[in-house]
């Protein structure tokens, strides 16, 4: 693919924490690599159930499509834009069924946007190779470092992405043990009230300390992360790598919840942004207690997490993008 080839960058908002704001830095990576970029966002059906769905403002230069019938409209958009190739950013492996439905008229690559428990689905090859989604996410500027007032009165831990009922029961029991004697610490859930999660909170004798505040738009999310003693992320539904990087950039120590989230836990351990023992249940009450007290090991993890987030920038990924995409012909990286 020659320099200045026209690329259509498709951002599929198919995960918890997926954001239109992810489009711009991805486009900057491709432009840094020498490509002329057009942008389209696809709102997954039920997008208002995602943390950054319809609450986000439109971005200039980004065409937004709804998922039903998106493949046909995207095909027409690619033709009208006269693009030479597509880069498909999604959490669904290989771009998912929607990318498959688009067909293979253009050379196309997948940009893994997060972690998913799904297997298969799409057919696109990742331009990032075997790299973890956390290693190929890119953040825009230093917005997460900007000071914001707390949205909560008092100390709290944050459930950033709600777990399933069984994992919630384990989490609430561990939190209750870790915070014993510290009734001032609340557990804030970025989700609408849920009967199963409320039942799990009641069983752990935490019902008065678990608060459902609804899904957070991007600016509110930053404030929640900046002031939380720790945040929990689950893989009950696909999880955006952007959300994880934004939490680390904000200095929030992260604890994955449930065995399904082990890929996220493994990535955090590789970055040095984890604490506690890998063999402990996810999450162990000791790890939660250490986060609430901000033990030295937790502060070390926070510092390393910030450093990791700072390295996910346009320049570093742009060089990798050049190596992966530039110079390949139309048949070299087509969908399988």
């Amino acid at each position: 693919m020659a320099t200045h080839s026209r690329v259509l960058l498709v951002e599929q908002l198919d995960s918890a924490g997926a954001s239109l704001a992810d489009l711009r830095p991805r486009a900057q990576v491709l432009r840094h690599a020498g490509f002329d970029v057009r942008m389209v966002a696809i709102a997954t059906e039920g997008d208002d159930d995602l943390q950054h769905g319809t609450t986000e403002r439109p971005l200039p230069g980004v065409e937004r499509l709804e998922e039903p019938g998106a493949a046909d409209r995207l095909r027409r958009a690619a033709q009208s834009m006269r693009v030479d190739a597509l880069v498909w950013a999604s959490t669904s492996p290989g771009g998912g069924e929607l990318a498959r439905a688009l067909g293979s008229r253009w050379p196309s690559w997948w940009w893994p946007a997060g972690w998913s428990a799904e297997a298969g689905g799409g057919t696109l090859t990742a331009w990032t190779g075997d790299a973890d989604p956390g290693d190929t996410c890119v953040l825009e500027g230093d917005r997460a470092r900007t000071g914001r007032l707390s949205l909560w009165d008092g100390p709290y831990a944050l459930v950033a992405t709600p777990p399933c009922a069984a994992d919630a029961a384990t989490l609430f029991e561990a939190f209750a043990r870790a915070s014993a004697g510290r009734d001032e610490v609340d557990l804030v859930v970025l989700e609408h009230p849920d009967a199963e999660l409320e039942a799990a909170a009641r069983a752990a004798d935490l019902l008065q300390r678990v608060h459902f505040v609804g899904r957070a738009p991007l600016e509110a999310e930053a404030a929640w992360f900046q002031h939380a003693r720790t945040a929990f992320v689950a893989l009950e539904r696909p999880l955006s790598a952007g959300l994880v990087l934004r939490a680390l950039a904000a200095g929030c120590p992260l604890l994955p919840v449930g065995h399904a989230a082990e890929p996220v836990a493994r990535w955090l351990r590789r970055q040095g942004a984890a604490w506690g023992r890998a063999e402990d249940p996810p999450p162990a009450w000791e790890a939660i207690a250490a986060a609430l007290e901000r033990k030295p090991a937790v502060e070390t993890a926070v510092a390393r997490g910030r450093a990791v987030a700072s390295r996910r920038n346009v320049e570093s990924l742009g060089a990798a993008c050049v190596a992966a995409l530039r110079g390949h012909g139309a048949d070299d990286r087509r969908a399988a």
Side-chain angles (χ1 to χ4, degrees):
M1 191 186 303
T3 305
H4 304 307
S5 292
R6 183 169 293 179
V7 172
L8 179 59
L9 173 60
V10 181
E11 184 82 28
Q12 189 173 3
L13 304 174
D14 62 349
S15 61
S19 173
L20 279 175
D22 295 330
L23 250 175
R24 190 156 41 201
R26 286 195 221 278
Q28 289 172 347
V29 168
L30 293 169
R31 288 177 181 134
H32 186 82
F35 302 114
D36 182 9
V37 182
R38 301 292 185 270
M39 294 178 285
V40 169
I42 298 177
T44 303
E45 191 172 9
D47 188 35
D48 56 351
D49 287 336
L50 301 181
Q51 286 183 315
H52 303 296
T54 54
T55 58
E56 290 192 287
R57 298 179 211 142
L59 287 181
V62 178
E63 183 174 354
R64 182 164 175 146
L65 306 176
E66 299 299 321
E67 185 177 21
D72 289 337
R73 288 195 294 276
L74 186 58
R75 191 178 297 109
R76 290 195 296 270
Q79 291 169 344
S80 67
M81 294 176 186
R82 301 184 181 222
V83 301
D84 301 300
L86 273 69
V87 173
W88 190 286
S90 73
T91 307
S92 298
E97 293 295 338
L98 189 53
R100 182 196 294 271
L102 187 64
S104 56
R105 175 168 178 172
W106 299 271
S108 302
W109 293 263
W110 175 43
W111 190 328
W115 295 272
S116 174
E118 299 176 15
T123 57
L124 303 184
T125 299
W127 76 262
T128 55
D130 295 330
D132 193 282
D135 296 325
T136 58
C137 181
V138 58
L139 293 182
E140 184 178 31
D142 292 327
R143 296 173 73 241
R145 294 178 180 270
T146 304
R148 292 174 172 84
L149 295 176
S150 177
L151 299 176
W152 198 254
D153 184 14
Y156 64 91
L158 187 70
V159 181
T161 61
C164 65
D167 288 339
T170 301
L171 168 62
F172 293 162
E173 289 170 5
F175 179 80
R177 184 174 181 185
S179 62
R182 301 188 62 177
D183 291 347
E184 75 278 9
V185 183
D186 289 320
L187 195 59
V188 175
V189 184
L190 295 185
E191 182 57 90
H192 300 304
D194 179 275
E196 289 187 328
L197 299 189
E198 287 178 335
R202 186 179 299 105
D205 198 24
L206 284 177
L207 190 58
Q208 301 304 313
R209 295 169 59 194
V210 175
H211 309 274
F212 296 85
V213 298
R215 301 175 185 93
L218 203 60
E219 294 301 320
E221 177 206 79
W224 284 120
F225 280 138
Q226 281 187 347
H227 297 281
R229 304 301 292 176
T230 187
F232 305 101
V233 290
L235 211 60
E236 168 68 4
R237 61 188 180 193
L239 173 64
S240 165
L243 180 146
V244 171
L245 265 291
R246 292 192 297 270
L248 296 182
C252 183
L254 287 181
L255 281 169
V257 177
H259 292 286
E262 175 57 27
V264 185
R266 188 165 53 243
W267 181 79
L268 289 170
R269 290 195 296 269
R270 285 203 305 268
Q271 310 309 312
W275 64 99
R277 300 178 304 176
E279 64 270 19
D280 287 341
W285 74 268
E286 295 95 338
I288 299 175
L292 295 179
E293 297 172 20
R294 285 300 178 97
K295 296 276 189 167
V298 179
E299 295 294 357
T300 298
V302 167
R304 289 174 176 169
R306 283 189 186 275
V308 167
S310 70
R311 293 194 296 269
R312 300 301 182 263
N313 54 53
V314 170
E315 290 73 21
S316 62
L317 282 182
C321 187
V322 169
L325 296 183
R326 188 181 291 172
H328 288 286
D331 293 330
D332 290 338
R333 294 264 180 166
R334 279 194 186 275

